[in-house]
């Protein structure tokens, strides 16, 4: 737990050849905000949508408005989940030292990144239940300051990044 447009934009320095290769591998997806070499789908998976829905249920139960999904935050969250799975680690900081703020900025988020939750669990419901049982994770999900969220999932790894437009 860390305190509290378009799909992913290319970081400066990436080549048109890399873009073409990514588009050939996964049409409708582009690389973004993570040097781990993953790609971001344009839309959330069913599991990612379910996790977002469950988070919004918790917010509504607390009298808070639902989060607005943000493509760049989705990309940052998804890329971090993919990077953790690919490189066999579980941490808010990437092995090269990047933080959720760095990843959100690199993915093209122009709001204020405020927090990140990560989890290792098999279902969206179990992830949200674990986060709601942890004071710090719960505070991120129920942040009154944040109004946007990104959700990422790779296998049993889950990431949400919250921000303020």
């Amino acid at each position: 737990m860390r305190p509290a447009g378009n799909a992913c934009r290319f970081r400066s320095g990436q080549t048109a050849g890399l873009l073409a290769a990514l588009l050939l591998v996964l049409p409708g997806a582009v690389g973004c905000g993570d040097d781990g070499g993953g790609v971001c789908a344009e839309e959330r998976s069913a599991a990612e949508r379910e996790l977002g829905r469950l988070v919004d249920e918790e917010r509504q139960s607390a009298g808070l408005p639902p989060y607005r999904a943000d493509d760049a935050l989705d990309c940052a969250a998804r890329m971090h989940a993919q990077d953790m799975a690919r490189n066999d680690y579980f941490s808010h900081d990437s092995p090269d030292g990047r933080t959720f703020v760095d990843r959100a900025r690199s993915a093209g988020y122009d709001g204020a990144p405020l927090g990140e939750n990560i989890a290792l669990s098999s279902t969206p419901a179990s992830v949200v239940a674990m986060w709601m049982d942890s004071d710090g994770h719960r505070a991120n999900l129920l942040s009154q300051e944040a109004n946007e969220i990104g959700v990422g999932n790779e296998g049993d790894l889950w990431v949400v990044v919250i921000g303020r437009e």
Side-chain angles (χ1 to χ4, degrees):
M1 183 266 327
R2 283 284 171 117
N6 284 340
C8 309
R9 298 180 196 129
F10 266 122
R11 294 183 327 272
S12 61
Q14 289 180 313
T15 65
L18 176 60
L19 174 60
L22 288 171
L23 292 175
L24 286 174
V25 171
L26 185 58
V30 295
C32 73
D34 191 297
D35 291 347
V39 294
C40 278
E42 288 185 10
E43 296 182 14
R44 288 181 178 177
S45 69
E48 291 167 342
R49 286 191 306 273
E50 177 65 4
L51 188 126
R53 185 189 70 74
L54 292 170
V55 167
D56 282 342
E57 276 185 6
E58 294 292 345
R59 288 181 62 78
Q60 290 171 336
S61 292
L64 297 167
Y67 279 123
R68 180 175 42 256
D70 181 85
D71 291 339
L73 289 180
D74 276 350
C75 185
R78 188 172 300 119
M79 294 297 292
H80 189 48
Q82 291 173 355
D83 188 47
M84 287 191 294
R86 185 174 36 262
N87 293 301
D88 195 30
Y89 71 97
F90 185 74
S91 175
H92 291 286
D93 295 336
S94 300
D96 63 4
R98 287 174 299 122
T99 67
F100 75 92
V101 174
D102 299 325
R103 290 186 296 270
R105 292 276 178 249
S106 192
Y109 187 61
D110 51 9
L114 298 176
E116 175 182 77
N117 286 359
I118 62 176
L120 183 61
S121 191
S122 59
T123 68
S126 64
V127 169
V128 172
M130 284 190 309
W131 285 339
M132 292 304 288
D133 284 340
S134 162
D135 291 341
H137 294 97
R138 180 183 178 90
N140 274 351
L141 296 184
L142 301 182
S143 170
Q144 293 183 15
E145 185 179 354
N147 64 356
E148 296 182 313
I149 192 170
V151 179
N153 167 242
E154 182 69 23
D156 286 346
L157 290 165
W158 299 85
V159 179
V160 297
V161 181
I162 60 170
R164 176 91 189 154
E165 177 183 41

